[in-house]
Amino acid sequence: MNLNTNYIKEFLDIEDPCLNFISCTRTTYRGMNVIMCVALAELNVCPNCESDNFIYNGFKTVTIPYISANASKPVFIKVKKLGIFCKNCQEYSYPSTNIVEKHCHISNAVKRKIISGLTEDRSMTSIARENSVSVTTVQRCLDECSAQFTLSFDSLPEHLAFDEFRGIGRKLHFICQDGEKHTIVVILQNRFKSTIRKYFEQFPETTRKAVKTISTDLNCYYGSLARELFPNAKVVVDRFHMVQMVTRSFTGFRVQFMKEMDKTSREYKLLKSHWKLYLKKYKELEGTHQVYNRSLRAPYTQSQIVSEGLQCDETLENTYNFMQDFMYALKYKDPEKIEELLSGNTRQYCPQLRTTIRSFRRSFRAVLNGAALPFSNGCLEGLNRKIKQIERTAYGYSNFTHLLKRIRLEQNLISLKKSAKRLEAVQHSH
Ligand SMILES: [Zn+2]
């Protein structure tokens, strides 16, 4: 008997001394083939007054899903709690075990497994099935461990990054990140100015005045709002977006130029199949080692391909040179060079780049700020990709809050480790 108890306990990895396992059998439960372990929980003394003057008062039975290695054979623990009535303090009580929290029918071990499943790129349905619980239970676990993300309105990071992403129903959501640590500050349901204003006005004015920079993309949508909410902050055009705009201009012109070319010509091949090389920094191209190139039928180095390709057209070459100078000026944080590049004559560049330069000139200050400061929204772009992945796995979220929590959970893994510790602490305190 005792041996049996110890064996089952070891098998299930349970350390609770109050539980005595009686049996472990295969049976059907709620239409499933399961392994059902039956345990008895008894009290030696009254938990209230520690007196042993009590009488037994019948069983209360709870059945708890437990973790199992094989999802087709779920393990359940049926705990028979033997209640007592204490004659000393006139109280009814039942034993509590540390495999579940009070008023809860899911074991802590399963909860931990669900939470760790939620941090992976998986759908809630698949997590629910693996742990033999309902989807609602998985959602409840998500709610529970997101409770720690509750907002406080006492502090804001010094450097904020504003952006937006496409979420539920193709709507745009506003997202704000810490520009340095890249943690999420807030995700709002939409990107209306009134919503953003309402959110940030919950912070006291002194907190908002302490914000030093707001980085955003070049469309001035957030610029005026940022100035209004954060009076001391510099508005910064994000470097990542600037580079993106310049490289897009170059690519746009390259593609347009190629359309007029003979598709079998050497020039066409130089520009077409090696498009990636043109977007790299010139100094990072391989310049000494020649590799046989099959489409061109000759050995070439990477920099040879680029310089020969650019010889096709003067405008293309000028645009390329501007793009390279611009990327280097940003890399070495050289606002004077940016100023020089933007204030020069633009006639030698392609029309796409001329448009880009014009819009840079319109937000000249913010562009120069962006060139001088080390922050970038590149992290936000990475996050956008991640969000799309989460949505794709879930076949689209119908509930914005659930999507939001999942994003936060997958993003802020550090806090998750804390939550696992918290669960453990709760276990030990029982
Ligand atoms: Zn008592």
Side-chain angles (χ1 to χ4, degrees), residues 283-321:
K283 283 176 196 162
E284 285 167 16
L285 295 175
E286 172 66 61
T288 47
H289 190 66
Q290 285 192 327
V291 178
Y292 183 77
N293 190 306
R294 288 181 94 177
S295 61
L296 299 165
R297 302 209 181 106
Y300 272 100
T301 68
Q302 290 185 334
S303 45
Q304 268 175 328
I305 291 175
V306 170
S307 35
E308 284 205 27
L310 292 172
Q311 275 166 25
C312 302
D313 186 75
E314 214 189 315
T315 313
L316 190 72
E317 192 177 1
N318 287 335
T319 308
Y320 179 82
N321 288 337

Side-chain angles (χ1 to χ4, degrees), residues 46-51 86-91:
C46 166
N48 247 351
C49 63
E50 303 199 341
S51 143
C86 175
K87 286 183 171 168
N88 185 30
C89 66
Q90 309 284 311
E91 287 279 345

Side-chain angles (χ1 to χ4, degrees), residues 27-253:
T27 158
T28 35
Y29 175 68
R30 288 187 194 156
M32 292 182 284
N33 279 321
V34 300
I35 296 170
M36 182 69 79
C37 300
V38 184
L40 193 68
E42 282 177 293
L43 287 169
N44 297 324
V45 290
C46 166
N48 247 351
C49 63
E50 303 199 341
S51 143
D52 56 2
N53 181 16
F54 58 76
I55 51 166
Y56 288 113
N57 183 44
F59 285 107
K60 198 165 84 176
T61 310
V62 284
T63 310
I64 305 152
Y66 203 69
I67 37 173
S68 72
N70 179 356
S72 65
K73 269 268 181 290
V75 175
F76 282 83
I77 301 176
K78 185 186 270 183
V79 184
K80 291 181 155 186
K81 294 179 175 181
L82 189 51
I84 57 163
F85 174 72
C86 175
K87 286 183 171 168
N88 185 30
C89 66
Q90 309 284 311
E91 287 279 345
Y92 292 96
S93 34
Y94 284 95
S96 65
T97 80
N98 69 15
I99 60 168
V100 284
E101 280 177 46
K102 248 184 194 162
H103 314 297
C104 185
H105 288 267
I106 311 269
S107 67
N108 287 327
V110 169
K111 256 190 204 168
R112 269 204 300 277
K113 210 174 156 209
I114 290 173
I115 293 172
S116 98
L118 283 170
T119 64
E120 287 159 19
D121 180 23
R122 294 174 54 188
S123 75
M124 293 211 209
T125 325
S126 103
I127 298 168
R129 201 179 307 125
E130 187 194 295
N131 294 297
S132 332
V133 296
S134 66
V135 179
T136 324
T137 307
V138 178
Q139 283 171 352
R140 210 179 305 124
C141 274
L142 181 60
D143 289 342
E144 226 170 79
C145 71
S146 317
Q148 58 178 311
F149 296 136
T150 41
L151 305 155
S152 75
F153 293 105
D154 314 326
S155 67
L156 274 170
E158 287 185 348
H159 306 282
L160 296 174
F162 286 6
D163 209 345
E164 58 214 20
F165 69 92
R166 218 167 268 289
I168 290 146
R170 321 259 319 125
K171 261 189 264 163
L172 280 170
H173 300 301
F174 171 81
I175 177 168
C176 173
Q177 269 192 317
D178 184 327
E180 279 176 305
K181 292 186 198 120
H182 302 169
T183 53
I184 299 171
V185 176
V186 69
I187 299 174
L188 298 177
Q189 184 121 28
N190 55 49
R191 41 159 252 163
F192 300 142
K193 284 186 175 171
S194 56
T195 316
I196 300 167
R197 192 179 292 125
K198 204 172 144 197
Y199 173 77
F200 282 111
E201 275 173 355
Q202 295 174 85
F203 292 90
E205 206 184 339
T206 45
T207 309
R208 283 187 278 124
K209 274 186 173 165
V211 173
K212 287 181 182 155
T213 68
I214 309 281
S215 76
T216 158
D217 58 5
L218 203 63
N219 80 48
C220 332
Y221 187 78
Y222 300 121
S224 57
L225 189 67
R227 268 183 287 272
E228 176 193 327
L229 288 168
F230 306 100
N232 293 338
K234 274 188 200 165
V235 177
V236 169
V237 175
D238 167 54
R239 277 182 301 147
F240 180 84
H241 279 113
M242 289 198 265
V243 171
Q244 207 176 36
M245 282 174 77
V246 173
T247 49
R248 266 186 201 157
S249 310
F250 174 78
T251 307
F253 183 67

